[in-house]
Amino acid sequence: MSRPGSHDAPPGTERTPRVVAARKLLRRAGRDRAGRFLVEGAQAVREALRFAHVHELFVTEAAVDRHPDLMVEASATRISVVTDRAAAALSDTVTPQGILAVCDLLDVPVARALDGSPRLVAVCAGVADPGNAGTIVRVADAAGADAVLFAGDTVDPHNGKAVRASTGSVFHLPLARDRDAAAVLDACHAAGLTVLVADGHGELDLHDPAAAPVLAGPVAWVFGGEAHGVPAAVAQAADHRVRVPIHGRAESLNLATAAAICLYASVAARTR
């Protein structure tokens, strides 16, 4: 295989126009304006090449040497070799990995994400931490969920930290965003889903036998913000508020941990 850029100009710098344009994708406004986002790291880039539309790869010379397999996979994609400083300018990590892809945004309309007969959906409502949001996408993917919806004032799933936390799962199942949380719940109901809010003070105990038939049906699990939980209006519009019991002295569960317990409880209920 010939080395990318071996017959071209010297590696691009942080001032190269294509790098300058890509750097704008680090911000949500820039992503939404361009309809594209940045993916960093070998694993995420590999998934992007397989499941998304990749416009361009930015790689350092060291990354080319480390990942010859990816260079082969990306042979039909524009590959731009850049300096370490340019790669750092495109990264939002402490230790840049030197390999980034520019991809089309992944989200689709909510109706399209719920098309067919979904059985298990995760809804992030007011989730602010991108790491938690990305981990919820990863857990939903692992649990076989049909979609992940981002409702109301929630972090962008194309945020770099969210993409990394998903470990590639953002490319595996439909994602949808809508700032109107009520409309998202209405769409879930219209798709035949029972809407369950994960709430530490909910009236239905996850382990109560009465919860089993609810969990076994088509459900949309709603997970709220780290500090204040699900917005009150969203909780009121749900069919049930379900609590994960705390048997020890822990004050609460991490949001992504609670999401994993809830999603897998639905999987278990269906297989009994």
Side-chain angles (χ1 to χ4, degrees):
M1 180 193 73
S2 63
R3 190 179 179 83
S6 57
H7 301 100
D8 298 331
T13 72
E14 62 272 26
R15 297 184 184 87
T16 300
R18 299 186 74 84
V19 175
V20 172
R23 192 175 181 184
K24 295 177 181 179
L25 305 180
L26 290 170
R27 295 184 176 276
R28 184 170 188 163
R31 294 191 291 270
D32 287 343
R33 190 178 303 114
R36 299 178 181 181
F37 73 115
L38 282 172
V39 176
E40 182 177 6
Q43 173 60 24
V45 168
R46 184 175 288 107
E47 297 301 297
L49 288 168
R50 293 174 181 173
F51 297 105
H53 183 193
V54 177
H55 291 271
E56 182 170 10
L57 250 61
F58 292 102
V59 293
T60 62
E61 292 181 343
V64 170
D65 291 335
R66 283 197 305 270
H67 305 290
D69 57 324
L70 276 181
M71 298 305 102
V72 173
E73 281 197 60
S75 58
T77 303
R78 178 177 183 139
I79 301 176
S80 298
V81 177
V82 295
T83 64
D84 290 342
R85 287 186 63 178
L90 293 173
S91 174
D92 61 358
T93 65
V94 176
T95 308
Q97 297 186 47
I99 180 165
L100 304 101
V102 177
C103 305
D104 281 343
L105 294 182
L106 301 169
D107 57 310
V108 299
V110 172
R112 182 173 159 193
L114 296 175
D115 193 28
S117 301
R119 296 280 300 170
L120 182 61
V121 171
V123 181
C124 294
V127 176
D129 181 78
N132 274 335
T135 303
I136 289 173
V137 173
R138 181 180 182 180
V139 169
D141 183 20
D146 298 291
V148 180
L149 312 181
F150 291 78
D153 188 15
T154 295
V155 68
D156 179 9
H158 304 96
N159 172 286
K161 186 176 180 181
V163 174
R164 289 192 298 277
S166 81
T167 63
S169 285
V170 289
F171 299 107
H172 298 164
L173 72 176
L175 306 178
R177 294 184 287 171
D178 194 321
R179 297 193 73 85
D180 187 343
V184 171
L185 296 198
D186 287 344
C188 288
H189 281 132
L193 297 162
T194 298
V195 176
L196 308 179
V197 162
D199 183 344
H201 303 287
E203 80 282 356
L204 184 62
D205 188 310
L206 186 72
H207 295 155
D208 189 318
V214 176
L215 298 176
V219 297
W221 276 101
V222 184
F223 306 107
E226 295 78 2
H228 305 293
V230 173
V234 173
Q236 290 169 6
D239 298 295
H240 298 282
R241 284 146 296 280
V242 185
R243 69 181 183 276
V244 178
I246 302 291
H247 299 293
R249 288 180 286 182
E251 183 272 331
S252 63
L253 286 169
N254 168 270
L255 172 60
T257 301
I261 291 170
C262 293
L263 290 168
Y264 270 92
S266 286
V267 174
R270 292 206 307 262
T271 56
R272 287 188 186 124

